[in-house]
Amino acid sequence: VFAGAAREAVFSQPEVIRRVNRDFVPVALKAALVNDPPAGEEGRLCREIGRSRPAPQGICVANSAGKVLDWALMFDDDRSVLAFLDHARDRFREHPDASRPVAAERYMKFPSRKLADVEDTEVPLPTVDRHADSRCPARAPVAPGTLAVRLYGRALDADGRPIADTVRQEHYVEDRFDLSPELQEMIARDLAKAGPDGFRLPGALYRLLASHAFLGQLDVNPLEPPGDVKGELKPGELWARREEPAAAGTVRLRVEGRSEVAGGRQDGSPGGRGAAGDGRIWEHSVRLTWEGFIDMDGSRITRLVLTARGTERLKWGNISFGGAGPDPDVARLPAGHPIDFQGEVLYGLIGEPARAE
Amino acid sequence: VKRRLLVLAFLGGPVAGLGSAEAPGDDPLADSLFPPELVMQFQAEIGLTAEQRDSLQAEMEKAGPRFEDLHRRLQEEAEKLGQLLRKERVDQAAALSQLDKVHDLQREIQRAHLALVIGLKNQLTSEQQSRLVDLRRRLIAGSGKKESPAAPEPEEKGERRASFDSIRAEVESLRAPRVAWREISWNSCLLEGLKESREMKKPLLLWVFIDRPADDARC
């Protein structure tokens, strides 16, 4: 939730955007690198950042030597975000490098809730210009033959037009996922055996598509929510049938079908309906009709375009929210904001071969 | 083809669009030229002969690798230009020189694409061309493109099913052109960030979060 909330509430504010671009070098860092650093000198840099972290996720300012100046997990209000940036920038002016020791300041909520500082170890950190194995650990390796799929999802208004807001992920979502070479080969094998009426696409593809076409942040995934809660992939089907090929040597498949997923419903009460024990209020169901094309060259997909339209119900929150409003709030970044959406939705997917490293 | 058209649209100018299937009303040349996929999509409706089809496919296959190479080079040079411009102090001479390289490649792509679509058009009879103009207008009207590029029309039962191009155009229309948080030029590499911090004498702002680094994905 933190990442999505920070993106919506903090990094979508025009003045924050202006100041970050003007005064800082912005880096979005996988928490895994800080919480479980890689080996070698790059790992030492990551470990130093993680040494003072008040939580696994947060917003942090560091100097050019990699020494942490400030951490913040939340802010009192929108103006406090700007005050934090000013404060961190001023500290950088005093401690731009490792020439003098500097303590890491930590704020649970800036500026009202300050935690104890973490003192500098005064151990010099290395200057590292290259990754140990020439590959940045922030980038996941891509297997040759992988198809990279990008998804765009929009909530529609009463007139069937996309809702204009593109900040909140329950209104506008972008996602991506990979379609493995093995799954592509499975489709190619099914195609080879198919008759003129077409064939049912593999269940693994059905699941993959259905598990990404939803609105909201990562934690509301109706099929793979965090924790012990299980979602339900309802019976559906995707069919493919040969069409006139776009180019010689390729096969174009027209894809049609429908899908339905439903997350386990929880009402937040202890022992109540679908209780997860954490006060979660959650209900998520998506029904979609799919249409599109897959171009294949042998056992590889060369292009994929799909749309899926239908209806979606997403209710999400926590009994601890109390009377929190529906807007993103810098004072509630780890918790996010409540969501109550029901309406028509439209998704679009484009897949192209990924660049293997 | 779509990607080629997008690049041409980016270029602007009198040949932008070159027969785009998406918005002929916005392009004074749209009725004069036909993208290859439009021709192939309506081959039955315009009575394309087997000989014409083979010839068109041969032309497209011949042009494909060259366009791929040109676009790859264009992306590389555009990225280099972006790197130069992102610096706090921009080397003006280097940036302008790099811009020239980008323009050279754009011009080469534009010429190559115009040559391709002219070659394709010259293989069609006048009746086939008239029919394509009519079919394209109907396609645009059916997809609602002229009224609202971002608002797909409701599915029309019983109508001819959507084509590859129309679905792709619909998917691309869903992507918001400007999303606020993407206005920040996030880097996902700590080493690159530290290097830039040293060079620009600016502090690092680290957004540390679980799962993915900042990109255009769900978080």
Side-chain angles (χ1 to χ4, degrees), chain B residues 170-209:
Chain B
E170 186 173 30
V171 174
E172 287 173 351
S173 76
L174 294 177
R175 181 176 188 180
R178 291 189 67 185
V179 180
W181 58 268
R182 202 184 284 126
E183 300 294 310
I184 295 176
S185 46
W186 295 103
N187 193 332
S188 61
C189 174
L190 178 61
L191 299 191
E192 286 178 11
L194 283 167
K195 185 181 177 189
E196 196 175 336
S197 170
R198 291 191 296 272
E199 291 174 353
M200 300 178 68
K201 302 190 187 316
K202 289 181 177 180
L204 277 182
L205 179 80
L206 299 167
W207 175 19
V208 181
F209 67 83

Side-chain angles (χ1 to χ4, degrees), chain A residues 30 175-177 212 218, chain B residues 209-215 217-218:
Chain A
K30 272 186 172 181
D175 206 349
R176 61 175 189 177
F177 59 91
H212 284 86
L218 280 171
Chain B
F209 67 83
I210 289 172
D211 202 54
R212 293 160 166 159
D215 51 18
R218 191 193 308 267

Side-chain angles (χ1 to χ4, degrees), chain A residues 224-245:
Chain A
E224 297 165 0
D228 298 331
V229 183
K230 297 296 180 192
E232 182 185 1
L233 179 64
K234 299 198 173 182
E237 50 189 25
L238 287 174
W239 285 82
R241 184 173 53 78
R242 281 176 188 263
E243 288 251 322
E244 191 68 29

Side-chain angles (χ1 to χ4, degrees), chain A residues 127-325:
Chain A
T127 300
V128 188
D129 284 332
R130 293 175 186 279
H131 303 292
D133 60 357
S134 302
R135 190 180 67 79
C136 180
R139 295 184 183 280
V142 178
T146 298
L147 190 83
V149 181
R150 294 191 173 275
L151 175 147
Y152 309 104
R154 307 291 292 254
L156 305 181
D157 64 18
D159 296 323
R161 296 177 182 278
I163 289 175
D165 170 47
T166 56
V167 170
R168 295 163 60 159
Q169 292 187 95
E170 64 268 33
H171 292 159
Y172 174 73
V173 74
E174 295 186 9
D175 206 349
R176 61 175 189 177
F177 59 91
D178 290 342
L179 218 152
S180 69
E182 292 75 20
L183 183 49
Q184 294 172 56
E185 288 159 12
M186 198 183 297
I187 296 169
R189 284 197 296 273
D190 291 348
L191 168 63
K193 294 182 286 187
D197 294 333
F199 63 101
R200 187 193 291 257
L201 286 162
L205 179 65
Y206 174 70
R207 184 179 183 87
L208 194 60
L209 296 175
S211 66
H212 284 86
F214 68 92
L215 293 175
Q217 73 265 22
L218 280 171
D219 287 3
V220 304
N221 186 337
L223 276 184
E224 297 165 0
D228 298 331
V229 183
K230 297 296 180 192
E232 182 185 1
L233 179 64
K234 299 198 173 182
E237 50 189 25
L238 287 174
W239 285 82
R241 184 173 53 78
R242 281 176 188 263
E243 288 251 322
E244 191 68 29
T250 65
V251 173
R252 171 161 289 176
L253 301 173
R254 179 181 283 275
V255 177
E256 292 174 316
R258 56 186 175 78
S259 66
E260 183 175 357
V261 296
R265 297 179 66 182
Q266 295 158 87
D267 61 10
S269 60
R273 185 178 62 191
D278 57 4
R280 197 182 312 174
I281 298 167
W282 183 51
E283 180 183 348
H284 202 173
S285 59
V286 191
R287 291 181 181 181
L288 298 172
T289 300
W290 294 78
E291 180 181 28
F293 296 89
I294 292 174
D295 284 353
M296 301 207 69
D297 185 353
S299 61
R300 290 286 175 267
I301 294 176
T302 56
R303 289 196 294 186
L304 172 151
V305 293
L306 291 170
T307 57
R309 62 179 73 236
T311 57
E312 186 159 347
R313 166 66 173 147
L314 170 57
K315 188 176 176 66
W316 187 88
N318 196 290
I319 53 172
S320 66
F321 281 5

